[in-house]
Amino acid sequence: MALLFRAYHNALSKYPLPVNMVSSGLLGFGGDAICQYVIERRTHESYDKWRALRFFALPCFFKAPVLSRWLILLERVKGHPKLVPLKKLFLDQTIYAPIFAACVIFNLRLLEGHSPTESKDMLVRDYWSIYKVSIQYWPCVQLINFYVLPLQYRVIFVQLASLLWNTFLSFKTQTKLTDFVEEV
């Protein structure tokens, strides 16, 4: 395990963005797989491979690059060392999180093949129910992130926390509640 961590650390040090992108994509894929196999109880035959690919692509090509830049930008926050993480959390949750959540939901719908207008309508319909859970989950994650972890590990920490979040997001955006209730 130590060898694996050292290899990951070395790759992250040399190629931070590509390593974060691939790691994020794999964790997004994993979150959707958990949702499909564990929560929805799909079989291998009914597993939606295109959906899984969307949950790989969105974190890999959108979430990780944007999050990487945002976390670097937050490093500019100055002040007393015990208060800086709280300032970062405030900025993260008031500026970044609401906009980023909307962008993720909208882009996910575009990747599903919906038109921009349909994607916007679905965003309006789903945003508040998803964002309410977000503001209960992410501040705790980010507080740990900002107080404990060095910058180079913050994207992967967020993406590890996103494994649970992606499972929820997959369930919330991809599962019709009536279908789920009928299966249970």
Side-chain angles (χ1 to χ4, degrees), residues 5-113:
F5 179 77
R6 193 172 316 123
Y8 184 82
H9 172 77
N10 289 339
L12 187 60
S13 297
K14 288 181 184 177
Y15 312 103
L17 185 57
V19 169
N20 279 321
M21 289 172 67
V22 171
S23 301
S24 297
L26 291 173
L27 289 166
F29 180 89
D32 179 65
I34 291 168
C35 183
Q36 288 196 54
Y37 283 126
V38 177
I39 297 172
E40 297 172 21
R41 299 182 192 161
R42 289 180 180 239
T43 64
H44 186 66
E45 291 77 28
S46 65
Y47 182 77
D48 186 344
K49 294 165 186 65
W50 291 109
R51 171 178 150 183
L53 184 60
R54 289 190 301 271
F55 273 86
F56 173 85
L58 190 62
C60 180
F61 298 110
F62 178 70
K63 290 170 82 174
V66 171
L67 181 60
S68 295
R69 297 305 307 159
W70 173 246
L71 292 174
I72 289 169
L73 183 64
L74 282 180
E75 284 303 295
R76 295 180 180 176
V77 174
K78 303 295 181 215
H80 189 277
K82 293 193 187 276
L83 295 178
V84 167
L86 293 173
K87 289 179 182 179
K88 289 178 183 180
L89 179 66
F90 177 78
L91 293 171
D92 185 67
Q93 293 302 302
T94 58
I95 296 171
Y96 178 77
I99 296 168
F100 190 68
C103 290
V104 168
I105 296 165
F106 180 80
N107 284 313
L108 182 59
R109 298 306 190 188
L110 286 176
L111 288 173
E112 291 169 356

Side-chain angles (χ1 to χ4, degrees), residues 124-144:
V124 169
R125 181 194 70 205
D126 296 338
Y127 181 79
W128 182 242
S129 65
I130 292 171
Y131 190 66
K132 279 191 306 191
V133 177
S134 171
I135 58 178
Q136 295 170 24
Y137 180 68
W138 286 109
C140 298
V141 170
Q142 290 295 53
L143 204 55
I144 294 167

